[in-house]
Amino acid sequence: MTSTPHESARSHVSGEAEYIDDRPFTHGELHVGLVLSPVARGSLNAVHFEAAAKVPGVAGIFTAKDIAHNMWGSIFADQPFLVEREILYAGEVIAVIAAESVHALEAARRLVQLDISPVEPILTLDQAIARREFIGPERHIERGKVDEALKAAPHRLKGTLEIAGQDHFYLESQACVVYPREDRQLEIHSSSQHPSEVQHLVAHALGLKFHQVVCVVKRMGGAFGGKESQAAPFAVYASLVASRLNRPARLILSKDDDMRITGKRNPFKNFYEVGFDNKGKILALKANLYSDGGAYADLSTAIMERAMLHTDNAYFIPNFSVSGQVCRTHTAPNTAFRGFGGPKGVVTIESIIEDIAAQLKLDPLDVRQANVYAEGQTTPYGQTIDDAVLPDLFAKLRRSAEYDQRRQEIEQHNQESSSTYRGLSMTAVKFGISFTTRFLNQGSALVNIHLDGTIQVSTGATEMGQGVNTKIAQVVADAFSIPVSDVRVMPTSTEKNANTSATAASSGADINGQAALNACLNLRTELAKVAQEVLKRSPDSRGRKAAAAGTVGEIAIDGLPEAQNIVFKSGHVFDYRKPDQRLKFADLVNEAYLNRIPLSASGFFRYPGIFFNKETGQGKPFFYFTNGVALSEVSADRLTGEIKVLRADVLMDLGRPLNHGIDQGQVTGGFIQGMGWLTTENLFYDKGVLLSCSPSTYKIPSVHDVPREFNCSLLENPRNDRNLRGSKTAGEPPLLLAISVWTAIKNALTFARKGVSPNLGVPATQEKVFFQLPRGDDGGLHEETL
Amino acid sequence: MSKVRDFILLYVNGQRHEVRGPEVFQNLSSYLRYSRGITGTKVVCAEGDCGACTVMVARAHTKPQAPAPPEYESLNSCIAPVFLLDNCSIVTVEGLGDSAGLSEIQDSMVRNFGGQCGFCTPGFVMSLANLYEHPQDVTPQKVKNHLTGNLCRCTGYTPIIQAALDVDPAKHRPLALRYPTNPLMKLVTESADKEVRIISEGQSLYAPISLGQACRYKAENPDTRIFSSATDLGVQINKGKIQMRKAMSLQLIPELFRCERVGQKVHIGAKVSLTSVQNFLGPLVPAFAEFLNIFASPQIKNVATLVGNLANASPIADTIPPLMTLDTQIILAGVGGTRTVPIDKFFLGYKKLDLRPDEIIQALEFQIPDLDRTRMGFYKTSQRRDLDISCINAGFSLEIENGQIKSARIAYGGVAPTTIRLAHIEKALVGRAFKKAELLHFARQISSSIQPISDVRGSAEFRREMAARLFEKFIIENSGAEA
């Protein structure tokens, strides 16, 4: 299938695409660097920067006292931009240095002396839970009578699942450049998913009004949630330099510094008890989720809400009680990461189902299909499932990927092979689309039609590679039936669309695309009226010459009814009853201009009908769900535990996809990114200091980790009419389908352990898998392996 | 007295540049991005692990063998000091297209949605240019092997693999045709008798044209550092762990590029790249050549040398266990001549070598094993199979005669401050029948005779048990029919 290429594809491959650090240096521009805490917790007694300040080329060194308002936070304002006294994590920013060259900057950074009295840090969730070091209130979602149902259930399982964090590893590290403009204005170019928050926080930190600050985002070299809240502090540091020294200032983090300073996917520790019947039907689930928020709140409370809202995942659980509590440790404040809590809820229930199947000696897929949501059932938080495609998806993939035959082959292989165990597992995702905080679900757009018939559109969405700008360009082009090459999506800027939400929650194209479409529809309605009137006139009474001569009267469309017979088709506009009398779109635009009809419009959109009461845990938080299933097959080396993903099949319902190529890329990319979280990505700390802070020690999947056979298909679902042109967003959901790889590893190890499902944490590193393999008492090889 | 040149000569996308002053000591990526203002080449990790900075380079040097025009190969520009690009023609992503538009490789990436955020894309495009520089049948496995050194966080690689397979070879023009390297050869030949000396702002470079000069300079300048390909030193400089002050480059010394078979021995000079070694050893020591498949990336192996991996003396250097099992001899050149040290005597302690102040590693030599009666196996364990530093590695070599072990060599890395031989196990194996049942229990002795440490790559317990398991794996894989 051919689809419109990514709007930046040609500049990506030619090297022309401009990122922050590709901007030419301007006169007097300074390099900005940061001084970080080397310890996880302590009291900052003094900063000695006399020696650093003497390094030739150092232009300024700034600390907390140079900031007008030092506290910030996207939900609670609990985090300082710069440490005042209390240090709460290793990598926390203490001072900002500005220098004429990178060389001087690095020399100065080495010479800053920190006088710190270290304090014993809290570094694990267990410690934080024991000491009740909590952030925000405990939240609950409940339905039915869980304790009674558990007691009455024929079978019960109890367990704990430990889930580690994940670094975003966007290729472009945090970056921004700030240009001071006249009258204390600042122009910020930031690699941010949330330009409005950057604008607001810079103004807040520096004591400026919002209208003195503009934030522009052309594109990001990847973000994945890591630049939702956490791009802003870096813009503050650069803005501090730019405004205090009145010189342009550029802050480009090294990958090592980026990984030390910024937060990760929240680690979780989930305690659960589940009751089920002989067929594996879940009767009751009780789960207590604890997440590691790190040192500050950031977005962790909202992330916890989404984890709780996804602990049911694809499965109807009549009696349900889940609690969620964010904990504080002395690590970098954890933050949004593709899936935003969802993966931690989903991996828990999918793990539970593997364990149920192992206990009952049932096929895990049969157990899943026995529990999957049917049309009309409600979730524990009270939302009705009214587009239940999951039963269909399970059945289709079971058939098309030859599940039953392969299950048999694997049973046989595991009996016979002396080299590997194999595992097979299908999991699902039912991802709720909308911010769970209702007011964030709004978007705006500005559409300008130029006199040659080309269009510039600006929205609040930011482009991080996901192709939102391509989709918006397509929607706008299709609204007027003009070539997509005649539409350009302009850099996101707070001066064109204000008070925007972060491009997050997979909602970027939905919300901003619909806002752009709404603007286009308004313009099209007016242009159709103009067309109707123009077509009534003879060709020689049209055009600039006649208008300039003042020999024809002006077309007035105020009060005219909608021109329902006018159609826009292939760059032309005409009355469908007289298709031979047509106007070129550009000529119509000219006529509109000459008759003083506006050619610019703004558009707005909000997801309708959503609400969620966080205190009661009830509501209809999601505009719709994006659903999918995946089947993964893995092999585990019987001796070394080395894992290979032999095959993965993904089937997703994306409604009527806006751009097949882009959505397919979201699916493969999300899946592999999820695999990294679940297998090789291992954050390694020593006394709270992150040691795996670069790709030589932190291993995201490489090209060799792609499943040897990898089939991704999108199921057309023409029933979906709720969202932008019947599409469903892809963004986050495919990441959660990689959980099938992890459950397949569990499945393989279940064979190794004679039917006992292992308590395998996330990630399933080779070391963890290795220690789940049977082995002799003295560490030698288990005799059965011989 | 030899003649002296005081600049580095290189071509960027066909334009000739003489580089002088502090730019000589910059990374190639910084030079391209900030001195030349071409910013398509990206920097992410600054440690050669992500490939965003990949460029194509053809290196002209006065080869001891019959000279041929140099060929384009990929390298990581973020860790390569400009002075190591002397006599090179460099092509960046900006040099791939032409006035008619994008190259076929670029166009295929566009057609197949090969880029999402685009930040890794130039690096991938350059690695694909490397793949297509030499005519070959392109298979999915070859594509993956050529992309080992490039990380992408957005696409899941699938569309990039698709783009690589979708390139129409008929529309592809190799760089060698677009940026001919013949003029480079001419220049190199003309300046073969000129050493390079550059001093700028507290940094200096010396590139001698003979080994004698190099040894004398090293003796007189104990603080000099030899930059062979800087695939490790470049990382340490970028991370601020060492400063570049007095650098010496050996790339103008022709004999160090010798890579040849001499009777039953092989000779591998200090400047021979791992890619060349891998190709050369393919038929001679296939197990070693295959093991190099999961070592580093094309960008690294195209410049890094076997001798460099040895000289770096990391306890988890992946080539040292194989070299130990091959009883490698190390030839050291000094002011007074050469001497030879056996590899198991060469490492005196953690990163400490039996190397005198004037000495330079000139070459490695070892006997070609008799493949009919030698069983060799090389293993590594790492968090990710490809392009990852080992947690533990191992090399095993058993000489079998009439079903009995005649001699044994066992080497482990990652379990001690240096790679170690397990002499007592080797001794105990000699005379044993080459049968699983006879040999597997030695695994327990192996794990009890090492004291590894815990670190970012794995726990001590894991290393200890894995050491045993790798031996077992070797035995099981090699004695299958003889159980």
Side-chain angles (χ1 to χ4, degrees):
Chain A
M1 187 183 295
T2 55
S3 3
T4 306
H6 193 286
E7 45 97 39
S8 293
R10 295 180 69 83
S11 41
H12 285 156
V13 300
S14 67
E16 215 187 328
E18 190 183 72
Y19 301 81
I20 300 291
D21 197 32
D22 299 338
R23 302 178 69 84
F25 281 86
T26 51
H27 184 68
E29 189 164 320
L30 292 166
H31 300 263
V32 181
L34 306 173
V35 177
L36 312 181
S37 168
V39 300
R41 189 181 186 186
S43 187
L44 180 66
N45 305 318
V47 185
H48 302 291
F49 45 72
E50 297 75 12
K54 281 186 197 140
V55 171
V58 169
I61 301 179
F62 303 96
T63 59
K65 64 176 173 23
D66 298 298
I67 290 193
H69 302 101
N70 195 29
M71 299 304 284
W72 75 285
S74 297
I75 299 176
F76 310 114
D78 66 340
Q79 179 172 2
F81 288 110
L82 294 170
V83 169
E84 290 174 21
R85 174 139 192 116
E86 216 185 353
I87 292 169
L88 292 186
Y89 74 94
E92 190 165 13
V93 182
I94 291 173
V96 178
I97 305 181
E100 309 283 349
S101 70
V102 174
H103 212 67
L105 186 61
E106 291 309 315
R109 249 159 66 111
R110 281 194 289 272
L111 289 171
V112 174
Q113 285 184 341
L114 303 173
D115 176 358
I116 298 170
S117 308
V119 178
E120 187 63 29
I122 295 171
L123 297 174
T124 67
L125 265 171
D126 286 334
Q127 290 169 341
I129 295 167
R131 296 188 204 179
R132 302 189 62 78
E133 282 286 342
F134 294 150
I135 294 173
E138 186 177 275
R139 296 292 197 195
H140 297 269
I141 296 174
E142 281 168 357
R143 167 167 74 188
K145 295 181 173 165
V146 170
D147 289 325
E148 288 171 29
L150 277 175
K151 210 178 272 176
H155 303 277
R156 278 188 297 277
L157 260 176
K158 224 173 160 166
T160 309
L161 183 63
E162 287 194 65
I163 303 166
Q166 181 185 25
D167 188 77
H168 303 82
F169 209 87
Y170 30 69
L171 276 269
E172 183 196 29
S173 295
Q174 301 277 0
C176 66
V177 57
V178 182
Y179 305 105
R181 300 298 189 210
E182 63 187 63
D183 200 16
R184 294 201 71 205
Q185 295 180 78
L186 293 174
E187 180 185 321
I188 301 166
H189 294 258
S190 169
S191 183
S192 165
Q193 290 171 254
H194 201 348
S196 285
E197 190 171 62
V198 169
Q199 174 204 16
H200 298 167
L201 284 173
V202 166
H204 164 77
L206 302 183
L208 301 173
K209 300 280 192 187
F210 288 179
H211 73 319
Q212 288 173 286
V213 181
V214 171
C215 179
V216 182
V217 177
K218 167 69 183 161
R219 62 163 64 81
M220 285 165 271
F224 316 113
K227 296 172 180 173
E228 181 174 350
S229 61
Q230 298 207 353
F234 304 102
V236 167
Y237 307 139
S239 298
L240 177 64
V241 170
S243 81
R244 290 290 294 260
L245 301 177
N246 201 28
R247 292 170 66 173
R250 179 179 303 218
L251 173 55
I252 310 293
L253 287 190
S254 69
K255 186 47 77 190
D256 294 52
D257 277 354
D258 184 296
M259 287 187 73
R260 286 189 191 106
I261 300 169
T262 61
K264 321 283 173 229
R265 184 185 290 286
N266 297 70
F268 270 63
K269 187 160 187 175
N270 298 341
F271 301 85
Y272 58 84
E273 188 173 3
V274 61
F276 47 99
D277 69 14
N278 292 334
K279 290 184 176 158
K281 220 165 160 38
I282 300 174
L283 305 171
L285 174 70
K286 188 174 185 175
N288 305 108
L289 316 186
Y290 292 91
S291 77
D292 181 346
Y296 301 104
D298 199 90
L299 298 166
S300 289
T301 49
I303 292 164
M304 176 54 86
E305 280 152 18
R306 185 166 281 269
M308 296 164 67
L309 288 164
H310 285 76
T311 304
D312 61 335
N313 191 29
Y315 312 105
F316 176 73
I317 303 171
N319 299 284
F320 184 95
S321 164
V322 57
S323 70
Q325 176 66 61
V326 180
C327 303
R328 189 189 306 279
T329 65
H330 296 104
T331 56
N334 292 316
T335 191
F337 193 152
R338 200 176 195 169
F340 202 77
K344 279 77 80 175
V346 171
V347 73
T348 304
I349 187 68
E350 294 290 358
S351 176
I352 288 171
I353 291 181
E354 288 292 319
D355 294 352
I356 290 174
Q359 179 162 328
L360 297 176
K361 307 217 178 310
L362 294 175
D363 187 308
L365 181 52
D366 291 338
V367 175
R368 287 189 169 87
Q369 287 181 294
N371 285 289
V372 67
Y373 274 114
E375 188 82 13
Q377 287 181 321
T378 55
T379 64
Y381 46 88
Q383 178 155 359
T384 303
I385 304 295
D386 55 5
D387 183 18
V389 293
L390 277 162
D392 198 27
L393 289 172
F394 268 126
K396 278 210 165 88
L397 192 62
R398 183 170 191 149
R399 213 168 36 244
S400 67
E402 297 173 323
Y403 176 86
D404 294 282
Q405 187 190 330
R406 288 165 64 198
R407 171 61 73 197
Q408 273 182 12
E409 284 166 10
I410 282 173
E411 297 274 353
Q412 194 170 350
H413 170 92
N414 289 340
Q415 300 288 330
E416 291 168 1
S417 170
S418 60
S419 56
T420 57
Y421 299 104
R422 287 197 183 172
L424 182 70
S425 182
M426 193 187 298
T427 63
V429 65
K430 169 186 119 287
F431 200 81
I433 304 302
S434 294
F435 291 92
T436 53
T437 301
R438 181 171 55 198
F439 63 77
L440 298 176
N441 295 288
Q442 53 178 314
S444 58
L446 172 66
V447 175
N448 285 321
I449 308 179
H450 295 280
L451 294 186
D452 62 353
T454 62
I455 295 178
Q456 290 177 325
V457 55
S458 314
T459 75
T462 55
E463 175 64 44
M464 60 195 94
Q466 84 280 42
V468 65
N469 284 355
T470 313
K471 289 182 174 177
I472 289 171
Q474 285 177 253
V475 166
V476 169
D478 291 351
F480 298 105
S481 195
I482 58 174
V484 72
S485 56
D486 282 354
V487 179
R488 189 163 282 278
V489 180
M490 304 308 290
T492 312
S493 167
T494 56
E495 66 181 322
K496 283 178 280 184
N497 290 284
N499 315 316
T500 53
S501 292
T503 305
S506 304
S507 66
D510 286 8
I511 291 179
N512 296 284
Q514 189 66 53
L517 182 57
N518 289 348
C520 292
L521 294 178
N522 289 340
L523 285 165
R524 194 174 72 181
T525 303
E526 301 301 274
L527 283 172
K529 292 179 193 167
V530 176
Q532 181 178 273
E533 299 306 308
V534 171
L535 286 167
K536 287 178 187 162
R537 293 186 169 184
S538 64
D540 57 3
S541 60
R542 302 175 195 167
R544 182 174 282 263
K545 205 169 163 189
T551 53
V552 289
E554 190 172 61
I555 292 173
I557 58 168
D558 294 344
L560 287 183
E562 237 179 271
Q564 288 173 348
N565 300 324
I566 298 294
V567 292
F568 291 70
K569 200 166 178 194
S570 304
H572 289 84
V573 187
F574 52 91
D575 185 322
Y576 78 93
R577 297 163 302 185
K578 298 178 195 164
D580 51 326
Q581 292 176 37
R582 45 182 61 202
L583 288 167
K584 281 187 187 154
F585 179 68
D587 292 339
L588 172 60
V589 167
N590 261 288
E591 289 300 327
Y593 168 74
L594 297 172
N595 290 285
R596 298 190 293 173
I597 308 297
L599 289 165
S600 301
S602 62
F604 184 82
F605 177 70
R606 60 177 91 89
Y607 281 139
I610 51 172
F611 60 97
F612 182 61
N613 184 330
K614 297 179 182 188
E615 289 180 9
T616 61
Q618 293 295 311
K620 186 196 172 221
F622 303 121
F623 186 44
Y624 64 94
F625 295 99
T626 291
N627 301 290
V629 290
L631 176 66
S632 293
E633 181 175 344
V634 304
S635 77
D637 188 298
R638 289 195 177 217
L639 294 168
T640 64
E642 187 178 274
I643 296 291
K644 290 196 177 107
V645 184
L646 304 177
R647 176 172 166 184
D649 295 81
V650 175
L651 179 62
M652 293 198 74
D653 163 22
L654 297 180
R656 280 164 284 186
L658 287 176
N659 185 312
H660 199 272
I662 281 175
D663 285 344
Q664 190 87 13
Q666 289 294 296
V667 174
T668 54
F671 189 90
I672 299 300
Q673 196 174 66
M675 260 180 60
W677 166 57
L678 292 148
T679 57
T680 56
E681 294 182 34
N682 192 20
L683 292 163
F684 186 87
Y685 296 86
D686 181 27
K687 300 185 186 75
V689 177
L690 181 66
L691 296 188
S692 53
C693 60
S694 71
S696 61
T697 45
Y698 185 76
K699 309 313 281 189
I700 71 166
S702 88
V703 69
H704 295 280
D705 297 310
V706 175
R708 292 186 179 177
E709 186 182 343
F710 192 18
N711 307 308
C712 292
S713 25
L714 308 181
L715 179 86
E716 286 262 331
N717 175 4
R719 281 182 298 169
N720 183 49
D721 54 3
R722 201 165 313 170
N723 191 43
L724 178 61
R725 287 187 14 191
S727 68
K728 286 188 170 192
T729 185
E732 295 164 282
L735 181 135
L736 292 86
L737 289 174
I739 289 168
S740 59
V741 170
W742 183 84
T743 46
I745 295 171
K746 252 178 98 97
N747 185 243
L749 289 171
T750 304
F751 287 106
R753 297 159 50 84
K754 300 207 161 303
V756 178
S757 184
N759 182 0
L760 189 67
V762 172
T765 58
Q766 187 180 352
E767 181 166 344
K768 272 197 215 144
V769 172
F770 180 80
F771 283 121
Q772 293 287 349
L773 293 171
R775 56 199 219 282
D777 298 338
D778 54 358
L781 199 57
H782 194 271
E783 54 189 21
E784 282 178 25
T785 319
L786 300 182
Chain B
M1 187 69 189
S2 59
K3 291 178 268 179
V4 175
R5 174 154 63 94
D6 67 346
F7 59 87
I8 294 298
L9 174 70
L10 48 80
Y11 284 73
V12 177
N13 298 333
Q15 273 200 321
R16 186 178 193 273
H17 299 283
E18 290 179 5
V19 188
R20 295 179 165 81
E23 288 177 353
V24 167
F25 300 93
Q26 276 186 319
N27 290 322
L28 176 59
S29 57
S30 301
Y31 173 75
L32 295 171
R33 290 178 53 78
Y34 307 120
S35 298
R36 298 258 69 85
I38 47 176
T39 55
T41 303
K42 304 291 183 242
V43 175
V44 175
C45 67
E47 58 179 18
D49 258 293
C50 75
C53 66
T54 305
V55 297
M56 289 288 278
V57 171
R59 178 183 302 276
H61 54 74
T62 44
K63 290 180 185 170
Q65 293 100 338
E71 295 178 341
Y72 283 93
E73 294 180 314
S74 58
L75 62 75
N76 289 316
S77 65
C78 72
I79 47 174
V82 165
F83 63 76
L84 289 182
L85 280 302
D86 193 23
N87 298 326
C88 286
S89 167
I90 299 154
V91 180
T92 70
V93 69
E94 289 89 348
L96 290 187
D98 54 29
S99 51
L102 301 175
S103 70
E104 167 60 11
I105 287 171
Q106 291 168 311
D107 196 63
S108 183
M109 283 285 278
V110 171
R111 295 194 298 266
N112 289 283
F113 293 83
Q116 284 184 22
C117 85
F119 212 76
C120 72
T121 310
F124 273 94
V125 168
M126 296 314 289
S127 282
L128 293 181
N130 187 38
L131 168 68
Y132 276 97
E133 185 62 15
H134 306 292
Q136 58 178 315
D137 284 334
V138 174
T139 62
Q141 189 55 47
K142 275 187 195 162
V143 170
K144 289 181 182 180
N145 289 345
H146 276 80
L147 298 179
T148 302
N150 294 79
L151 293 177
C152 169
R153 191 55 150 170
C154 294
T155 63
Y157 303 100
T158 313
I160 301 174
I161 298 169
Q162 187 51 45
L165 296 170
D166 194 35
V167 168
D168 180 354
K171 292 185 188 161
H172 173 69
R173 273 185 78 206
L175 295 179
L177 295 178
R178 306 221 9 230
Y179 301 98
T181 52
N182 299 344
L184 215 52
M185 283 302 291
K186 192 162 161 262
L187 285 166
V188 169
T189 315
E190 280 167 12
S191 63
D193 58 345
K194 288 197 187 90
E195 61 180 32
V196 175
R197 282 179 191 271
I198 299 171
I199 298 176
S200 166
E201 299 177 11
Q203 296 177 302
S204 73
L205 167 74
Y206 177 47
I209 55 173
S210 78
L211 256 179
Q213 288 176 329
C215 294
R216 274 194 297 281
Y217 183 81
K218 189 164 178 261
E220 288 157 16
N221 299 274
D223 55 339
T224 194
R225 253 181 215 281
I226 298 174
F227 282 72
S228 179
S229 55
T231 52
D232 188 58
L233 286 181
V235 178
Q236 296 192 46
I237 291 169
N238 285 349
K239 308 246 164 172
K241 288 182 183 158
I242 59 169
Q243 312 280 308
M244 189 189 299
R245 301 250 184 267
K246 207 174 271 187
M248 177 155 60
S249 160
L250 306 178
Q251 64 195 344
L252 301 182
I253 305 173
E255 65 187 289
L256 296 182
F257 291 90
R258 262 181 72 200
C259 180
E260 59 196 350
R261 180 174 179 161
V262 187
Q264 276 313 300
K265 271 201 305 197
V266 298
H267 174 102
I268 298 170
K271 285 295 294 176
V272 180
S273 73
L274 283 161
T275 300
S276 306
V277 169
Q278 193 172 1
N279 293 335
F280 172 63
L281 291 183
L284 304 177
V285 197
F288 192 4
E290 271 166 40
F291 183 58
L292 287 174
N293 275 333
I294 54 167
F295 174 73
S297 63
Q299 293 95 317
I300 297 286
K301 284 189 278 195
N302 287 339
V303 291
T305 60
L306 187 57
V307 165
N309 196 233
L310 181 92
N312 190 36
S314 162
I316 39 173
D318 281 330
T319 65
I320 297 179
L323 289 173
M324 278 196 172
T325 58
L326 287 161
D327 269 342
T328 300
Q329 303 292 309
I330 297 162
I331 301 171
L332 305 174
V335 173
T338 61
R339 71 180 174 113
T340 301
V341 180
I343 188 167
D344 33 339
K345 301 273 186 300
F346 189 56
F347 302 104
L348 305 177
Y350 178 70
K351 295 224 166 196
K352 201 160 169 252
L353 302 175
D354 176 10
L355 193 70
R356 295 172 192 151
D358 63 318
E359 281 180 334
I360 286 170
I361 306 174
Q362 181 183 339
L364 307 177
E365 290 186 350
F366 53 79
Q367 294 283 335
I368 297 163
D370 177 351
L371 294 179
D372 287 336
R373 44 183 226 170
T374 312
R375 302 297 175 93
M376 307 185 95
F378 305 115
Y379 301 91
K380 68 180 281 185
T381 294
S382 46
Q383 299 190 59
R384 188 179 67 197
R385 185 167 163 274
D386 297 273
L387 185 53
D388 194 359
I389 297 169
S390 290
C391 166
I392 169 174
N393 50 29
F396 308 101
S397 172
L398 300 178
E399 209 182 342
I400 316 290
E401 213 174 65
N402 302 324
Q404 282 198 329
I405 296 173
K406 194 179 164 211
S407 70
R409 295 186 192 85
I410 297 179
Y412 276 97
V415 300
T418 67
T419 305
I420 54 167
R421 284 272 293 270
L422 297 181
H424 62 293
I425 310 272
E426 294 174 357
K427 219 167 133 187
L429 287 173
V430 173
R432 299 269 172 172
F434 186 52
K435 287 182 176 169
K436 271 205 299 198
E438 281 281 303
L439 303 174
L440 281 176
H441 64 273
F442 283 100
R444 291 166 204 203
Q445 288 185 36
I446 288 175
S447 54
S448 60
S449 59
I450 53 172
Q451 288 88 37
I453 56 163
S454 294
D455 68 11
V456 62
R457 299 194 170 87
S459 68
E461 192 192 1
F462 178 60
R463 285 189 163 100
R464 195 161 33 234
E465 292 202 18
M466 186 57 83
R469 213 49 52 82
L470 293 179
F471 175 75
E472 289 162 340
K473 193 171 174 62
F474 168 67
I475 296 297
I476 289 170
E477 286 181 351
N478 283 278
S479 62
E482 298 161 75

